[in-house]
């Protein structure tokens, strides 16, 4: 399957380099963990330089070790170090965290206090168009309100935030509107809606399947890899709204070979080797069939989002952009760790905005599946998006489809470096690994209205 363009402010992969199954990783500067062999005391407690996934593992270990004194953590991508918040007053806790290799910061708000603040927001300010998540960098709850939160609704939200205290929570306005992004890596189609395939998995009964967004799973029971094509997979489980936004969709053919990889366009794939928890500050990449490859950082964890369809909890908040059609798409790291599934948010890939993701680890546990599946050839990894040849609107709104056909080419200067040409604006990419790629990719102004409610608001 193919993807749309690599949009502005998006990461591009070095041209001509295919990251196949078993290959190293994306072409980004790789900060390998360093071990300081010095025997002096100062060196022994100096913060270690860590890869992001190693920092996430260390954070999980310290959370268990420090108990109630642990007040959150985040990854400093500049210094490549894990920063751990601890409650002031316990020098032993500080020493333990430093010996483990973390940079330690003493803060005032415990996780228990922050959780109590979030509970108050849920009880008094569950308003469509609002969201909140703990931001360990500020040791506060970050509350966001979209453009629909005005008048009495804004007054209620603002007064609730103020009641928590200025040292507990902050509120900001978003120019966009919180919505799910149905219209997604690879494009999948069902019931007039368009979404994205997230990650191939093996279901609990051993059958091949994939994860996508729950609001896609409740929008349609059967899904195809081509527009108006024959169904290839059927929804087995779906959760939305409520405790997450994820669905397990089983391939109808039990012999389907579904590779554990993400198609990032231009003939390139990224091998997915594991599922990992997100860490605030982690650099992440999102692949979606509408907007292609996008990058950014994790901003908050355990986010609550009040969509028009209902409240969803336990999400990852990021500054990665997304648009309708990207729902369910994969969020992953440079070293091939599966992190999340695109849920929804505000804004687009022109003005930016907030995007929320379902954690993959939680989804896998809930549906009883394991990441990856058999052979690297075939299955969901076949170029079904190219075979579809379905034109569409790459910048489509919630009620429009974005097709997936086009002229395939792996050269960065050709018309469609991501494997498709969908007409319209040209979008370059950031320089990754010292080489610029994605310069000839064009984004689209096709047509193609979806025959249904692509926002997934009526899921009966």
């Amino acid at each position: 399957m193919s993807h749309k363009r690599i949009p502005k402010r998006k990461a591009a992969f070095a041209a001509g380099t295919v990251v196949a199954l078993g290959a190293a990783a994306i072409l980004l500067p790789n900060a390998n963990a360093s071990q300081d062999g010095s025997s002096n005391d100062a060196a022994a407690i100096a913060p270690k330089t860590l890869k992001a996934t190693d920092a996430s593992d260390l954070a999980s270990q310290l959370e268990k070790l420090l108990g109630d004194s642990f007040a959150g953590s985040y990854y400093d991508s500049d210094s490549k170090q894990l920063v751990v918040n601890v409650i002031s007053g316990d020098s032993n806790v500080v020493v333990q965290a430093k010996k483990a290799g973390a940079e330690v910061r003493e803060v005032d708000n415990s996780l228990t206090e922050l959780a109590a603040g979030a509970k108050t927001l849920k009880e008094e300010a569950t308003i469509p168009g609002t969201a909140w998540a703990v931001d360990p960098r500020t040791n506060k709850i970050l509350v966001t309100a979209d453009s629909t939160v005005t008048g009495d609704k804004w007054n209620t939200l603002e007064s609730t935030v103020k009641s928590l205290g200025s040292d507990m929570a902050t509120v900001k306005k978003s120019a966009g509107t919180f919505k799910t992004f149905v219209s997604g890596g690879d494009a999948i189609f069902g019931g007039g809606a368009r979404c994205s395939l997230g990650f191939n998995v093996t279901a609990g009964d051993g059958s091949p399947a994939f994860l996508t967004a729950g609001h896609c799973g409740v929008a349609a029971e059967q899904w195809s890899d081509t527009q108006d094509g024959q169904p290839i997979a059927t929804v087995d489980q779906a959760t939305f709204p409520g405790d997450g936004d994820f669905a397990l969709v089983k391939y109808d053919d039990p012999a389907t070979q579904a590779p554990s990889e993400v198609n990032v366009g231009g003939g390139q794939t990224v091998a997915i080797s594991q599922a990992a928890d997100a860490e605030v500050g982690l650099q992440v990449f999102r692949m979606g069939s509408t907007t292609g490859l996008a990058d950014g950082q994790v901003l908050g964890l355990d986010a609550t989002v009040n969509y028009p369809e209902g409240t969803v909890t336990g999400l990852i908040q990021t500054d990665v952009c997304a648009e309708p059609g990207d729902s369910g798409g994969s969020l992953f790291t440079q070293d091939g760790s599966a992190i999340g599934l695109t849920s929804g948010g505000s804004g687009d890939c022109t003005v930016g905005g907030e995007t929320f993701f379902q954690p993959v680890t939680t989804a896998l546990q809930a549906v009883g599946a394991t990441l990856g599946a058999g052979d690297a050839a075939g299955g969901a990894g076949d170029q079904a998006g190219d075979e579809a040849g379905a034109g569409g609107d790459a910048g489509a709104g919630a009620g429009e489809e974005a097709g997936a056909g086009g002229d395939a080419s792996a050269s960065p200067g050709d018309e469609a470096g991501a494997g498709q040409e969908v007409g319209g604006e040209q979008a370059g990419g950031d320089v990754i690994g010292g080489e610029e790629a994605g310069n000839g990719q064009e984004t689209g102004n096709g047509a193609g209205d979806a025959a249904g409610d692509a926002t997934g608001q009526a899921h009966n």
Side-chain angles (χ1 to χ4, degrees), residues 71-77 83 85 105 107 134-140 142 279-282 297-300 317 319:
S73 63
Y74 64 94
Y75 183 63
D76 187 328
S77 58
V83 181
N85 294 336
R105 189 178 68 155
V107 297
V134 172
D135 178 6
R137 284 176 287 199
T138 62
N139 189 228
K140 295 180 181 180
L142 174 61
E279 182 74 17
V280 171
L282 179 67
Q297 283 194 354
V298 174
L299 300 180
Q317 183 171 353
D319 62 3

Side-chain angles (χ1 to χ4, degrees), residues 141-186:
I141 302 169
L142 174 61
V143 182
T144 308
D146 73 13
S147 58
T148 67
V149 182
T150 59
D152 290 342
K153 292 187 290 185
W154 170 255
N155 292 337
T156 297
L157 179 65
E158 190 175 37
S159 63
T160 303
V161 170
K162 286 182 177 179
S163 72
L164 300 178
S166 60
D167 61 343
M168 180 65 68
T170 59
V171 62
K172 71 171 186 176
K173 293 280 286 185
S174 173
T177 302
F178 289 156
K179 57 185 179 296
T180 52
F181 289 133
V182 180
S183 173
D186 287 336

Side-chain angles (χ1 to χ4, degrees), residues 17-44:
T17 302
V18 177
V19 186
L21 281 172
I26 299 171
L27 297 178
L28 287 169
N30 195 357
N32 293 316
S34 65
Q35 301 296 327
D36 194 329
S38 174
S39 60
N40 64 66
D41 292 341

